[in-house]
Amino acid sequence: MSKYFVMKEKDVIEYCKQQNLFPSDAELNCIEIGDGNLNYIFKVTDQRSSKSLIIKQAGPVARISDEFKVSPDRNRIESEILKIQYELAPGLVPKVYQYDLEMNCCVMEDLSDHKIMRQALIEHQQFPLFVEHITTFLCNTLLLTSDVVVDHKRKKELVKQFINPDLCEITEDLVYTEPFFDCPRNDLLDVTKEFAKQELWSDSNLLLETAKLKFEFMTNAQALIHGDLHTGSIFVKPDSTKVIDPEFAFYGPAGYDVGNVIANLIFAYQNAEATMEEGSQKSDYQNWLETAIVQTIDLFKSKFLSLWQQKVTERVATYPGFAQYYLDSIIRDTAAVAGCELCRRIIGIAHVKDITTIQDVSRRAAAERVCLSIGKRFILERNQIRTGADFLNIVKACQDAALKA
Amino acid sequence: MSKYFVMKEKDVIEYCKQQNLFPSDAELNCIEIGDGNLNYIFKVTDQRSSKSLIIKQAGPVARISDEFKVSPDRNRIESEILKIQYELAPGLVPKVYQYDLEMNCCVMEDLSDHKIMRQALIEHQQFPLFVEHITTFLCNTLLLTSDVVVDHKRKKELVKQFINPDLCEITEDLVYTEPFFDCPRNDLLDVTKEFAKQELWSDSNLLLETAKLKFEFMTNAQALIHGDLHTGSIFVKPDSTKVIDPEFAFYGPAGYDVGNVIANLIFAYQNAEATMEEGSQKSDYQNWLETAIVQTIDLFKSKFLSLWQQKVTERVATYPGFAQYYLDSIIRDTAAVAGCELCRRIIGIAHVKDITTIQDVSRRAAAERVCLSIGKRFILERNQIRTGADFLNIVKACQDAALKA
């Protein structure tokens, strides 16, 4: 019989004592601070020393909805991937102290001096070091887990270790399938539904492309990806960026992670647009966001090629032209994935606060249409999208078209 | 401690008695009939009843060369995949009676009334049912293990079960890497080496394409492929075709299997060309082979689409245009893989008897150049190759060019 049970705050204090996680004279305080969908997050503080840590426990059923049953094995995956990411990108993910296979919980660094990036962006805070940090995280975790660098036998063992059927199914359904038809589980404004019908659901070219992308997601074991790298999975403070919650990790297309970052910066950008006073100048914050979108792509590309030169071990990957071909395919996937994410957060079951907190309904509806228009163009034009400027130009073109309409 | 040891013939007889594989009064006779590189194959016959079976044991080290150490786990993979293939394509693979995890051996149907197809082709025998059989085997084993049909969680468990690092490494090295540079382990005629230098090794476009193909092989978990489907892995008699030796099986590109069949029919075709009397008419055998090449592609395509209609379960795979897109990509991969196989069997360490048994050295050298020329065109022109006729036209064009040279 398994000893597993879902802990309450008092159980967590007991657990800390059993595991000797604090000095014996500690005066422990515990609060559950989770607001995610899949897990319980406990912050435990020793009130004598002020030292603290986080205990993250996987619940038996995903909280997103009772329809998704996800195995607590995701917590093993998360702990193991965090250790790998910590080695590849030191300082850019929380440190894991220990993992308990039986209780499906993980003891890790407390980052509560950081803020969830989505919230900080809704407050229009700028993070001048974010692009530098996230592009390092992306290059290191993606390229350094690929067949370009890793011994191919070792890579295959990693593929096996991170097969992740439950969490991949969520992405396959919510990102690649349901947003592209009138699925009962979708959740969207009536006006947005009309727009989706006309612009997305009846466009057979677009549907065909989303089918290709879904199969790409299911079959392309390119890199050990985070798998859910939106701004709610990033902790920030001015001098620090920490990527958290990698429970969706598996060997998938590298562009999946880059695309999620880009799409979620675009949601923040729509939030800024929708909340600015009409006729006013673009704010510093908006300018910073524009630069962040462009630079996330361009700095990713330059760091990626430079890291490739330093770390490549596979002979055929040194053939002239191959690094550029490989990087081009990641940027193409990045555009497509950003497109899917932009559509699914508007149409599907899981929304983003950047959009849902826009109070003015007509402004929110306009922002949603812009997101869907950008998403569609990113998917359809992915073979022509190459630079950060290409991404931003499409964002602006869709924004301008919406203003004129 | 494992009880595993490499059995001799007398040990196999003892093993059959222990396992009660025959009646207690059986008079057993055993001979080792293996001529492969990786395993020991014992045929055990009860001389009283004439009933027989095959015991296939994995040796601890691949016999292809002491440089390749392949885990005996390949025998587990082989037994498990044979069971799956037997369900998907009944009658087209040998029946497995039992598998012994400890002794790494598998007890299976005796097919010694069949002949290895490569040998039969060298003897210029025709098999009018072969195309019908092999295209059914290919469609059923490839499409019915893909995400088009299989529940995606189940498919991911299969991916995990058939991760095959040792055997994949052999393919990655011998098929995708070594034939395309002056690798010390290559083994080729001096005249062929000159041709390879000029036509392949110095062609940077070709090299770049082979790099893309190697990564495709390493990352595209499309279907549960056989992984080594040359004519030495096929048993034939006039009314029966049995695909054997699936120890290279893993989730890879579906076109890998189709391409290997095509390339090995082309080797047989070169053998027929090289051994015909100069100036003589094309033989019935050559005509049959030409038809076999064309029909293997065309019948595969029509059966694949028809099976798709019957069996598709994935919603997005029913979008208009997707089945054709998917099939086109398999045919493109087929051409590329056939191209790699044509090159690697001429240049690399593992040759085919169709070519090495051509006695006349200048005719053998000519046949080798034709194979390399076809291989190069298949790789470079794979996006334009669509039909069986497209394949055969390139074969004939390269043949004609060689005659004129």
Side-chain angles (χ1 to χ4, degrees), chain A residues 138 142 176 213 216 222 253-264 266 293 296-298 300-301 304 326-342 374-375 378-379 381-383 385-388 391:
Chain A
L138 290 167
L142 299 174
Y176 289 101
L213 295 169
E216 176 81 7
Q222 182 177 32
Y256 193 82
D257 283 352
V258 193
N260 267 311
V261 172
I262 293 295
N264 283 276
I266 292 170
I293 292 168
T296 296
I297 297 295
D298 292 345
F300 172 76
K301 289 174 68 177
F304 190 91
Y326 192 96
L327 179 56
D328 286 349
S329 78
I330 294 178
I331 299 302
R332 184 194 64 212
D333 293 347
T334 295
V337 168
C340 292
E341 175 77 0
L342 282 161
I374 300 168
F378 278 178
I379 293 170
E381 298 172 29
R382 65 189 184 280
N383 285 308
I385 297 172
R386 288 277 162 269
T387 65
F391 281 84

Side-chain angles (χ1 to χ4, degrees), chain A residues 238-401:
Chain A
D239 60 345
S240 170
T241 305
K242 305 271 185 187
V243 175
I244 61 169
D245 289 353
E247 59 206 349
F248 281 78
F250 75 109
Y251 261 88
Y256 193 82
D257 283 352
V258 193
N260 267 311
V261 172
I262 293 295
N264 283 276
L265 292 176
I266 292 170
F267 290 130
Y269 190 71
Q270 296 314 311
N271 178 284
E273 282 282 325
T275 52
M276 74 193 272
E277 282 178 43
E278 287 192 47
S280 68
Q281 289 284 310
K282 229 189 291 182
S283 66
D284 280 357
Y285 171 71
Q286 283 169 298
N287 285 324
W288 171 74
L289 264 182
E290 289 187 4
T291 310
I293 292 168
V294 171
Q295 283 297 310
T296 296
I297 297 295
D298 292 345
L299 209 54
F300 172 76
K301 289 174 68 177
S302 59
K303 284 185 182 177
F304 190 91
L305 288 177
S306 147
L307 192 63
W308 182 296
Q309 295 305 325
Q310 292 166 48
K311 298 286 188 176
V312 59
T313 64
E314 162 58 52
R315 179 189 169 90
V316 309
T318 66
Y319 291 167
F322 187 71
Q324 193 60 53
Y325 154 82
Y326 192 96
L327 179 56
D328 286 349
S329 78
I330 294 178
I331 299 302
R332 184 194 64 212
D333 293 347
T334 295
V337 168
C340 292
E341 175 77 0
L342 282 161
C343 294
R344 75 105 168 184
R345 293 291 195 173
I346 302 299
I347 295 173
I349 194 176
H351 295 284
V352 289
K353 284 190 182 164
D354 317 61
I355 303 298
T356 57
T357 57
I358 298 171
Q359 296 299 318
D360 181 310
V361 177
S362 70
R363 282 194 158 197
R364 175 175 166 185
E368 295 195 346
R369 285 194 299 275
V370 172
C371 289
L372 296 181
S373 303
I374 300 168
K376 178 175 176 172
R377 286 193 59 186
F378 278 178
I379 293 170
L380 290 176
E381 298 172 29
R382 65 189 184 280
N383 285 308
Q384 288 80 52
I385 297 172
R386 288 277 162 269
T387 65
D390 292 343
F391 281 84
L392 187 62
N393 287 340
I394 289 177
V395 172
K396 287 185 168 177
C398 292
Q399 204 104 15
D400 291 349

